[in-house]
């Protein structure tokens, strides 16, 4: 038997439990309507909130930068891979987030994991929402700090954990997603900030799903709640509403300088190529010049949510364009997602272990690019498939 053969058994196990991933293949550009696995569908599965992933200004910026500056940056940031455009983008992001400075990472995952691991060590403690993203969990593990998890959005429980774990000289980090990716609900940031301030804890928010979505001009949850200057570390991704690829941290200058010296993805992984950076800069221009995109995202969100409620679906606590349609059982949910796809609507089934057992759902994300017609058609299919399966 070859040393890796045990993985075959593990895979067979996953398949038997219905947990083996079989991702669909996008054949053409992403968009409100797109082609997956040979079928044209209404796409409710992407994070392309503002429809920027295939926006002509971003496409032109990307191709222009590749032609002028090449396909790659050639090195890690800390050696020879910092191009002037990286710094330009970072200054733009600092402004966008009303922060002193910002630092780009290769992904939102790298930004979260690299930052949490760089600012804490094994003497410290991390107090983390139960539903925080995997990249926060991995960063917390990498830091070696003690990890304490509080029930989802429970400010009092976070307060208690900070009180229990306080020791002289020990640093504490209170960390939350701004918008939760599987439920679409918003963190109780004002309460968490107050608690963090009372305990002298570092406050960090992962705004992957809020940047470009919530707050004035899409500035995120800190702006949405009017908490400028009270959140120490803001995380964003460039791969969702911004439409491209990468992540960033925004915060005080000394934090950014520290990450330039101790952020391991920044130090040990090659920087983003010109096409990516240039497209991100163009995305910020479009968000500034076309504010109607954010308005449209929210009017589409309202229309779709109201439609799902009228049909009798349970959408949990969602307050944002991420709307789960909670069905409960794993098998039933997989069948529901298959029916939707066969009838021309792509909304993926999200099952254990991504969400708790018995809380399976299909997750929908509307974008600014969906037309009213797209959404009404999708609702019709949801209603029909839901009734046929006895879900509503
Ligand atoms: C809450 C949250 N944080 C971070 C990330 C990671 O971002 P990226 O896809 O840019 O690595 C994601 C996306 O998958 C996310 O949902």
């Amino acid at each position: 038997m070859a040393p890796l053969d045990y993985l075959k058994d593990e895979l067979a196990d996953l398949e038997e439990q219905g947990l083996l991933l079989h991702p669909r293949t996008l054949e053409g550009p992403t968009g409100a309507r797109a082609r997956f696995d040979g079928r044209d569908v209404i796409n409710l599965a992407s994070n392309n909130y503002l429809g920027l992933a295939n926006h002509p200004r971003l496409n032109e910026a990307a191709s222009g930068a590749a032609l002028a500056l090449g396909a790659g940056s050639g090195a890690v940031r800390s050696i020879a891979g910092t191009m002037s455009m990286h710094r330009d983008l970072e200054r733009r992001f600092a402004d966008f987030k009303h922060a002193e400075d910002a630092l780009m990472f290769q992904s939102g995952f790298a930004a979260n994991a690299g930052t949490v691991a760089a600012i804490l060590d094994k003497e410290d403690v991390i107090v983390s929402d139960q539903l925080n993203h995997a990249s926060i969990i991995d960063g917390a593990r990498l830091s070696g700090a003690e990890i304490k998890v509080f029930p989802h959005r429970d400010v009092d429980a976070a307060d208690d954990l900070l009180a229990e774990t306080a020791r002289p000289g020990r640093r504490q980090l209170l960390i939350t997603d701004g918008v939760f990716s599987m439920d679409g609900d918003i963190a109780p940031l004002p309460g968490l900030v107050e608690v963090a301030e009372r305990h002298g804890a570092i406050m960090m928010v992962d705004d992957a799903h809020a940047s470009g979505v919530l707050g004035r001009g899409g500035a995120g949850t800190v702006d949405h709640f009017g908490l400028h200057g009270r959140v120490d570390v803001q995380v964003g991704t460039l791969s969702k509403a911004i439409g491209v690829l990468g992540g960033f941290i925004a915060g005080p200058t000394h934090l950014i300088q520290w990450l330039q010296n101790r952020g391991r993805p920044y130090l040990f992984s090659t920087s983003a190529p010109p096409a990516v950076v240039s497209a991100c800069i163009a995305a910020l221009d479009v968000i500034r010049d076309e504010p109607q995109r954010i308005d449209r995202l929210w009017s589409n969100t309202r229309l779709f949510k109201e439609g799902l409620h009228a049909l009798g679906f349970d959408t949990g606590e969602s307050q944002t364009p991420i709307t789960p349609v909670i069905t409960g059982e794993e098998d039933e949910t997989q069948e529901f997602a298959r029916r939707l796809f066969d009838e021309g609507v792509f909304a993926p089934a999200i099952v254990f272990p991504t969400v708790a057992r018995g809380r399976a759902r299909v997750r929908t994300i509307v974008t600014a690019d969906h037309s009213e017609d797209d959404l009404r058609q999708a609702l019709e299919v949801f209603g029909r498939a839901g009734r046929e399966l006895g879900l509503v």
Side-chain angles (χ1 to χ4, degrees), residues 107-110 112 133 135 177 179 181 206 208-209 237-240 246-247:
S107 66
F109 198 109
N112 262 331
H133 189 255
S135 51
D177 282 9
V179 169
S181 55
D206 171 7
H209 291 276
T237 172
L238 306 170
S239 51
K240 302 192 193 299

Side-chain angles (χ1 to χ4, degrees), residues 72-92:
S73 70
V76 299
R77 287 287 298 272
S78 55
I79 297 182
T82 294
M83 306 176 88
S84 50
M85 57 165 49
H86 288 112
R87 286 305 293 152
D88 290 346
L89 176 61
E90 287 166 344
R91 276 188 283 270
R92 290 288 302 273

Side-chain angles (χ1 to χ4, degrees), residues 151-328:
H152 186 46
R153 296 204 303 167
D154 187 337
V155 175
D156 291 339
D159 191 6
D160 290 346
L161 285 174
L162 286 169
E164 270 167 33
T165 56
R167 314 261 186 284
R170 186 182 216 194
R171 279 176 289 263
Q172 295 179 300
L173 172 72
L174 179 56
I175 187 162
T176 185
D177 282 9
V179 169
F180 290 86
S181 55
M182 296 301 149
D183 292 82
D185 51 349
I186 302 175
L189 207 53
L192 292 175
V193 164
E194 204 194 304
V195 163
E197 285 172 345
R198 193 150 19 85
H199 292 278
I202 304 162
M203 182 74 230
M204 178 163 171
V205 61
D206 171 7
D207 258 353
H209 291 276
S211 301
V213 174
L214 275 174
R216 287 168 303 166
T221 51
V222 173
D223 188 83
H224 173 73
F225 287 115
L227 295 169
H228 291 296
R230 298 176 66 190
V231 172
D232 303 288
V233 190
Q234 295 185 67
V235 186
T237 172
L238 306 170
S239 51
K240 302 192 193 299
I242 309 300
V244 194
L245 179 70
F248 67 91
I249 295 291
T253 308
H254 48 278
L255 168 70
I256 301 308
Q257 249 185 319
W258 179 252
L259 295 175
Q260 287 167 337
N261 286 275
R262 287 290 182 276
R264 291 171 74 82
Y266 177 91
L267 291 165
F268 298 114
S269 183
T270 295
S271 60
V276 165
V277 182
S278 187
C280 289
I281 294 173
L284 290 177
D285 291 341
V286 173
I287 290 173
R288 180 197 57 209
D289 297 344
E290 300 179 19
Q292 66 277 15
R293 284 186 176 268
I294 297 179
D295 298 341
R296 182 70 190 262
L297 172 66
W298 283 97
S299 59
N300 278 347
T301 297
R302 280 188 293 275
L303 185 155
F304 197 62
K305 273 194 205 308
E306 281 165 17
L308 288 171
H309 293 157
L311 288 167
F313 285 111
D314 172 8
T315 63
E317 301 290 314
S318 169
Q319 300 158 272
T320 68
I322 300 174
T323 307
V325 177
I326 299 170
T327 38

